[in-house]
Amino acid sequence: MNQTATQQGHPKGLYVLFATEMWERFNYYGMRAILVLFLVKAMAFNQDAASQVYGSYTGLVYLTPLFGGYIADRYWGNKRSIIAGALVMAIGEFILFFCGHYYDNAALAMPLFYTGLGCMIAGNGFFKPNISSMVGQLYKKGDSKIDAAYTIFYMGINTGGALGPIVCGFFGDTGNNGDFKWAFLAGGIAMLLSVITQVIFQKKYLVDADGASIGDAPKGAPTLFLKIPVMVGFLFLLSVVTIALVYIDINVVSYLFWLLIACILLIAFIIFSDASLDALEKKKVAVLFTVSFFVIFFWSAFEQAGASLTFFASENTQRDLGFYVVPASFFQSLNSIFVVTLAPLVAWVWIKLGKANREPSSPFKMAMGLMLLALGYLWIATGVKGVGAGIKVSMIWLIGMYMMHTFGELCLSPIGLSLFNKLAPVKFASLLMAVWFTANAFANKFAGVLSSLYPDGKTTYFVGYAIANLYDFFILFVIMAGAAATILFLLARKLKTMMD
Ligand code: GLN
């Protein structure tokens, strides 16, 4: 996080990408804020099933970018992919709006729900990787402002992430099941604003440092495929495939977990068996795989936000302020609010430590991130210890936990990502980025599995660990993240030597 560079001028294109991404994240996090509440309250899913849907949905949201990035590089270019993906996500939200309208007619609402979800997954796959890669393309290679540009872009992500749950929660999470549809509509409108921003400003402002257009389709790409209606049609086909994937995973056989492991193993095999890489490069790649492994434990506990922690906000948190009952969905904006407010503080600490020559290594910072996550869960576990079923605790527990989790995110997430940029051999840069996304996909899927353990009166077991109440549930995450943090602290020095 380079603070001085933010004072220098950035290209206007950065702010076009900022606004486009902000509206998209508004849509994603706004919809996610009410998703499990909608499923449980309106669609009569039990918490277990709603958690599974959440895991498969968010898992695939992180997997389709592999495909979207690949197609854009070879055929569509970033610009058109962003517009097509954004349009399909807007359509997805409008389909979910109808699903929300007909929620009490399961025969109609169910197919609409899965169709809408499929569009969100397919659209995101073409939006997210392409918009992220355009940020860097605005600058000359090696420009020192690129780091600051990504920091500003991250603020755009979190401005959307803060506003989405509040606006969608305000209109949709009212206690009346018929109102959830307004949250989907708000998400759809936000997505249209994202499309409009692109359509108006893309051509003029998305240019490189010399003023040449960036993110266009590669020369020689078949022109028929470059018409927006054809692209949207293609994404619909993809959404049908993803709907089938989610549906089969939830209702027929749970395969997604294994598929993701197989993907990572296959990529590891491809890279490690490549004779053109020398031992030093392979060591660096080994660091990236190790880091990805630990990151899984982070995100699978962190992403409880959209599932079990929202059940907790809804059922076990005292939200009545006397003059206003805070909707449970609002709590999902806390992470983003804390990112925007705390990121400068964390950046300042690293700079201060850097000046004193005491800045921790990247693996050590990531271990700190995991430890902060464990502490957040320890905090909330303290809040529910000995509290009887059905009693609501103060919202201070949830708020404090989200603050600690955000400090953890700020230690781990930007650092993990930049490690990939620094350590990946050029030849395998994209494939290793795919490992990072697949680790995220796996973590989100796993988050759904863990959320399904949310206590409902019966004792459940997770690899021998008994969960009878909320305290046991939260302690599971303390153990998981705490153990991962401890092992990573122990490995940090060794990983550091492998990186240099
Ligand atoms: N909150 C960030 C985003 O939405 C990062 C999430 C992640 O990497 N899992 O882009």
Side-chain angles (χ1 to χ4, degrees):
M1 300 209 180
N2 183 340
Q3 287 200 320
T4 52
T6 55
Q7 285 146 22
Q8 297 159 13
H10 280 280
K12 291 209 177 77
L14 177 63
Y15 299 98
V16 174
L17 296 175
F18 180 106
T20 314
E21 174 77 352
M22 182 190 80
W23 288 121
E24 188 278 328
R25 289 287 94 181
F26 177 115
N27 145 81
Y28 178 74
Y29 285 111
M31 179 273 199
R32 204 191 76 160
I34 55 113
L35 178 63
V36 292
L37 298 171
F38 171 67
L39 286 176
V40 170
K41 293 183 179 183
M43 299 281 279
F45 278 54
N46 60 30
Q47 288 181 340
D48 181 352
S51 298
Q52 300 292 354
V53 170
Y54 171 83
S56 300
Y57 165 57
T58 56
L60 283 169
V61 156
Y62 280 97
L63 199 61
T64 47
L66 304 187
F67 190 55
Y70 181 87
I71 297 281
D73 285 351
R74 275 166 190 70
Y75 305 105
W76 288 3
N78 306 120
K79 279 181 174 162
R80 281 164 204 265
S81 303
I82 290 171
I83 292 187
L87 269 175
V88 171
M89 273 191 275
I91 294 169
E93 288 282 31
F94 294 130
I95 294 173
L96 289 171
F97 170 73
F98 285 107
C99 163
H101 187 70
Y102 294 109
Y103 75 91
D104 49 2
N105 176 354
L108 187 58
M110 274 302 193
L112 284 173
F113 176 69
Y114 280 109
T115 311
L117 219 55
C119 289
M120 297 286 286
I121 297 168
N124 183 76
F126 281 75
F127 184 98
K128 189 80 168 154
N130 290 305
I131 192 149
S132 312
S133 93
M134 286 197 84
V135 174
Q137 294 176 45
L138 294 170
Y139 299 81
K140 276 206 162 64
K141 243 192 162 41
D143 189 332
S144 61
K145 280 192 292 212
I146 294 183
D147 269 359
Y150 275 101
T151 305
I152 294 172
F153 186 69
Y154 205 55
M155 292 298 145
I157 289 179
N158 285 292
T159 309
L163 291 175
I166 292 179
V167 174
C168 294
F170 181 79
F171 291 110
D173 184 13
T174 60
N176 173 7
N177 288 343
D179 283 343
F180 281 115
K181 62 174 179 278
W182 302 121
F184 296 127
L185 185 67
I189 293 171
M191 218 45 248
L192 284 184
L193 291 174
S194 180
V195 175
I196 291 169
T197 311
Q198 278 300 299
V199 171
I200 297 181
F201 298 112
Q202 199 176 62
K203 207 166 167 206
K204 181 153 182 215
Y205 294 116
L206 297 187
V207 293
D208 67 13
D210 301 320
S213 178
I214 52 171
D216 295 310
K219 289 204 174 56
T223 44
L224 172 67
F225 293 152
L226 294 178
K227 302 248 179 297
I228 292 288
V230 176
M231 295 163 76
V232 168
F234 176 81
L235 288 191
F236 269 123
L237 281 182
L238 179 64
S239 72
V240 173
V241 176
T242 57
I243 299 161
L245 291 177
V246 174
Y247 188 84
I248 295 170
D249 188 48
I250 294 165
N251 298 299
V252 185
V253 50
S254 174
Y255 69 91
L256 196 53
F257 220 72
W258 306 109
L259 178 73
L260 294 172
I261 296 180
C263 277
I264 295 185
L265 290 179
L266 179 69
I267 298 174
F269 177 76
I270 293 174
I271 299 181
F272 283 108
S273 62
D274 187 291
S276 71
L277 290 188
D278 61 28
L280 203 71
E281 285 171 315
K282 284 190 179 161
K283 265 190 185 170
K284 291 184 179 173
V285 173
V287 172
L288 295 179
F289 273 96
T290 312
V291 160
S292 303
F293 175 74
F294 283 96
V295 153
I296 289 174
F297 295 98
F298 183 86
W299 293 118
S300 56
F302 183 93
E303 299 289 9
Q304 293 305 310
S308 66
L309 292 169
T310 292
F311 297 143
F312 182 77
S314 172
E315 294 165 9
N316 305 101
T317 302
Q318 168 56 269
R319 292 178 283 114
D320 192 348
L321 298 177
F323 57 95
Y324 183 60
V325 180
V326 181
S329 45
F330 276 25
F331 288 83
Q332 284 197 51
S333 76
L334 283 170
N335 165 241
S336 285
I337 292 174
F338 283 132
V339 168
V340 175
T341 49
L342 300 177
L345 177 67
V346 174
W348 178 81
V349 170
W350 298 146
I351 290 170
K352 267 262 170 267
L353 287 173
K355 280 192 182 138
N357 235 343
R358 301 180 67 142
E359 186 171 354
S361 70
S362 299
F364 193 90
K365 284 183 188 169
M366 297 181 84
M368 282 170 66
L370 272 158
M371 199 45 102
L372 283 160
L373 193 77
L375 287 177
Y377 276 111
L378 189 60
W379 165 259
I380 202 164
T382 319
V384 298
K385 192 168 168 56
V387 171
I391 306 278
K392 296 188 171 193
V393 299
S394 160
M395 56 172 86
I396 197 74
W397 299 109
L398 211 42
I399 296 172
M401 182 212 69
Y402 276 125
M403 190 168 104
M404 290 184 224
H405 283 188
T406 307
F407 270 123
E409 174 185 349
L410 291 168
C411 287
L412 175 137
S413 181
I415 281 126
L417 214 57
S418 76
L419 264 190
F420 274 75
N421 284 325
K422 272 191 246 159
L423 299 184
V426 181
K427 184 173 174 191
F428 289 116
S430 314
L431 207 52
L432 280 162
M433 215 51 233
V435 171
W436 176 259
F437 274 114
T438 312
N440 263 281
F442 186 87
N444 276 270
K445 171 68 196 154
F446 191 35
V449 173
L450 292 171
S451 168
S452 71
L453 303 169
Y454 193 75
D456 59 357
K458 295 188 296 284
T459 300
T460 47
Y461 291 87
F462 182 70
V463 270
Y465 176 83
I467 300 165
N469 51 41
L470 283 168
Y471 178 77
D472 298 339
F473 180 70
F474 290 134
I475 290 294
L476 173 66
F477 293 98
V478 178
I479 298 171
M480 196 178 88
T486 310
I487 299 171
L488 192 53
F489 273 129
L490 295 173
L491 286 178
R493 190 162 297 169
K494 170 93 188 133
L495 290 174
K496 170 100 176 52
T497 58
M498 288 166 73
M499 280 159 48
D500 297 332

